Amino acid sequence: MGVLDTHELKAKFIQAVLPDILNDWEIDEIIEPLHGLPDSALNEVFRQVTAIWPVSHALCNNFLHAVANGLTCLHHSQFGDWVKAILEAYESGGLHQARQLLERVDETFLCSMRGETGISLAEVAGRLQPYATGLAGYPLALTAGAEIYTDTAAVYLPSRIAILPQLAENFLLYKLIISFQWAFSAIGTFSLPFSEISPAIIATAKRYHAAVPPEFSCLSDFFSVFPNPSAVAHLFHLGETARATSFLHKTLPGLMRESIPIFQALAQDILPNARCATAHLQRTIFSHALQDSRGLLPFATPIAIQFNALFQHDKSSYDSAIFVVEAYDWFLAQAEDSCPPIIFQGVLRPAEVLAVKRKKMSETKEQFITALAAIIKAQSVQDVPYDEKAYPTPSTSFSDLETQTGLIIPPEKTGPPPKDTERQQEKTIEFITIDDTRIVLPDEVKKLAREIIDDFGQIPNQYISSAKQAAGSALAQGNAPPPQDGEPLGGTGLYIYDEWDYRRSGFRKNWCSLTTKKIIPVTGAFVGNTLAKYKGHLTRLKRQFEMMRNQERFVRRQKDGDEIDLDALIETLADIKAGLSPSEDLFIRLARDNRDISVLFLIDMSSSTEGWVNTAIKESLLLMCESLEILGDTYGIYGFSGMRRSRSELFLIKGLDETYSEEVKGRIAAIAPQEYTRMGPPIRHLTTLLAKNDARIRLLITLSDGKPEDYDDYKGDYAIEDTRHALIEAKALGVHPFCITIDKQAHAYLPHMYGEVNYICIDEVRKLPNRIPEIYRGLTS
């Protein structure tokens, strides 16, 4: 079997692609991957080139680079079918889809040739992960595993699913599995609500001479009451799957409707052949999933009635446990073994769930104690008058908290009281009282407190005392040392800032808490559409910014240089005639100074920016970033919003040291209106960041659509004067503030806040994307 040399390869390639004419170096580059391939394979490759080259030169180039890899799992006689599939993919989905067939030959081509229609988790994890995170409300990890289960922090899935005939159906099955595993966490499968141990369970334990624990720390404690824990786990899992099915019909009705063909296929392929003790219970699950009453249990046995009752929305895991107690003896009396779980059921792993829970509780405890201790230090009692109207004493009694030093108080609800099953979820923590001192909790700490109450029913005494101990005993004595202005509260992303009160000509110390957050990036067409929309303008901007990259200036009176400084020469001649010592600085030198600029953009994300204003701001930032990448200036972008002094929010879009990336573009696309416009805390925070930077020029550019205002008393002159003072503080630290606004009333207050020349008003929103880069160019030239 021969191997062709370079000249022979060129000749064959030229013959294959005629009448196109290519340069030698182009041909060399294209055929480079073919060196060393056997003659028999090359003949087939060049035969396929004649089919691909006329369709797409780029696709042909990709094909030639994939040939060597393709030959590891294909015989060259299969290239014809492979190329046919590649061209079909190219014509239906473009070059990207065709590359999938080129790069993953085994998964995308050979599997279908062997009759396999499966899909791997690696292929779809990128599409499934946002779905899982959206369901859970936190990053729920997706991991390949030998069994399907969840530990509440991750869902373990098969590395490949090939049960159904279509790729789309197998993908949907992945979604269905994730949804059911998430549902088990959402409906409380792993948290048995035993306030008191059921008499039925006590009776069962006595019958089997088992000890009943004082409380169930996890499902395994309940399962171990019975002689056959695996049978109990199987029955309990069936009961919880019934509840999860009902829950998903209510929560994700679209998914359940879309999954009807999946349910039908699984029911048809699995259940008719099942000869196991709980087959009829599985059939009942499928009937409810399909909302088809024909498959329900036809006979009204106590077990059937109790199992069907679990599909009602008001049932809990306690009801599943009672079902187990009633069905246990019946199950053991069956001759058959238990049925294998339905694929979307997976298995229960209580030990793994408990391990994750304990780890999370430990982390939450440490974060809460650290944050509360920092807040106690920062609390200035005289600045926090108790407002009985804002926080009325609730009628709800918290008897289990009465002996605590700290007390969490939810706001009073209006309207009818919630159901007992929903009451715990609807409570919103507003503040905590410690030794008759009211501590307003920022949102991040409220969330931690809510998690602790969900776990324990209250804030444990130990947590409060530990926070007080960490903060020191000074609070009780009234002399707690406050943190420095802008000091972060340990480990929470919270910062405390003073606020200027012009009425007292002084600061309200430690008055505002600011939380730093990251915007979660989104994917979509916004970025691509914007860059395409402003393509011509962006090209001009990049050219203009390129010219600004290096500043050039003539420096006179130098010891060496490119030209003679005539003024210096004349002065030197005059000095010589006058008998004075002449200067040696007689030249002019052309100096090229590199730009030394750092800039932070502060973006108004208040609710008033909704609609076209928000779109224009995002378009402006994209054009600005694309231009600044040419210029090389150090820059960052933050958004701000919030409500009241305890919840000022600063959203990281791009950090000063962060690279402009697809993630940053995704964050820009995700900018959305939030709440109010308290400008003082974010200006002070960004001033602190810029003050640490050693750039020669430091700019803070605010983009806003109106005057500063918040939900509380941060309005009118008070808000304007605090913002003005924050800007004065910035100037004192060497930071130059500038404002770009679209508020037509801005001339009434911006000159007082920023100064006569430190702002610009753009009269039309649609001009923003074009004007902002031009304004920046003017500021930094």
Side-chain angles (χ1 to χ4, degrees), residues 367-434:
Q367 291 172 7
F368 178 79
I369 290 173
T370 302
L372 184 59
I375 293 172
I376 291 172
K377 284 183 182 180
Q379 186 71 14
S380 178
V381 177
Q382 64 270 22
D383 281 339
V384 192
Y386 184 81
D387 186 352
E388 196 169 14
K389 294 181 181 179
Y391 298 100
T393 302
S395 58
T396 305
S397 173
F398 289 82
S399 57
D400 54 349
L401 295 178
E402 287 177 355
T403 60
Q404 289 197 174
T405 309
L407 176 62
I408 298 290
I409 303 179
E412 189 174 37
K413 295 281 184 183
T414 58
K419 296 179 182 178
D420 290 342
T421 55
E422 299 172 359
R423 188 181 303 277
Q424 193 75 357
Q425 296 177 357
E426 293 197 10
K427 292 175 186 172
T428 303
I429 310 240
E430 290 295 329
F431 59 87
I432 185 170
T433 58
I434 300 178

Side-chain angles (χ1 to χ4, degrees), residues 222-253:
F222 170 61
F223 298 161
S224 63
V225 170
F226 298 80
N228 190 339
S230 62
V232 177
H234 178 70
L235 290 172
F236 181 79
H237 198 186
L238 283 170
E240 288 301 284
T241 304
R243 292 181 56 233
T245 302
S246 177
F247 172 78
L248 290 175
H249 267 300
K250 181 180 179 181
T251 310
L252 302 173

Side-chain angles (χ1 to χ4, degrees), residues 50 63 89 118 242 281 525 539 587 665 686 712:
T50 60
F63 168 71
L281 299 182
T539 301
F587 297 92
K665 293 177 185 178
L686 294 195
D712 50 20

Side-chain angles (χ1 to χ4, degrees), residues 252-316:
L252 302 173
L255 173 72
M256 296 300 277
R257 283 194 301 271
E258 189 181 4
S259 300
I260 285 176
I262 309 292
F263 292 129
Q264 289 173 335
L266 294 176
Q268 181 179 359
D269 292 345
I270 298 172
L271 292 181
N273 299 322
R275 295 292 182 267
C276 49
T278 50
H280 60 293
L281 299 182
Q282 290 188 342
R283 291 190 186 96
T284 303
I285 290 172
F286 277 116
S287 295
H288 278 278
L290 293 166
Q291 296 187 321
D292 182 1
S293 60
R294 290 174 298 176
L296 299 182
L297 297 178
F299 45 92
T301 64
I303 300 301
I305 293 172
Q306 199 162 5
F307 188 73
N308 273 309
L310 293 175
F311 291 92
Q312 297 172 13
H313 293 306
D314 60 348
K315 298 301 180 182
S316 70

Side-chain angles (χ1 to χ4, degrees), residues 609-630:
T609 62
E610 188 170 5
W612 170 234
V613 174
N614 179 252
T615 302
I617 288 173
K618 294 191 292 187
E619 291 179 344
S620 303
L621 290 176
L622 278 175
L623 296 186
M624 190 75 247
C625 291
E626 294 287 332
S627 302
L628 284 173
E629 287 301 301
I630 297 294

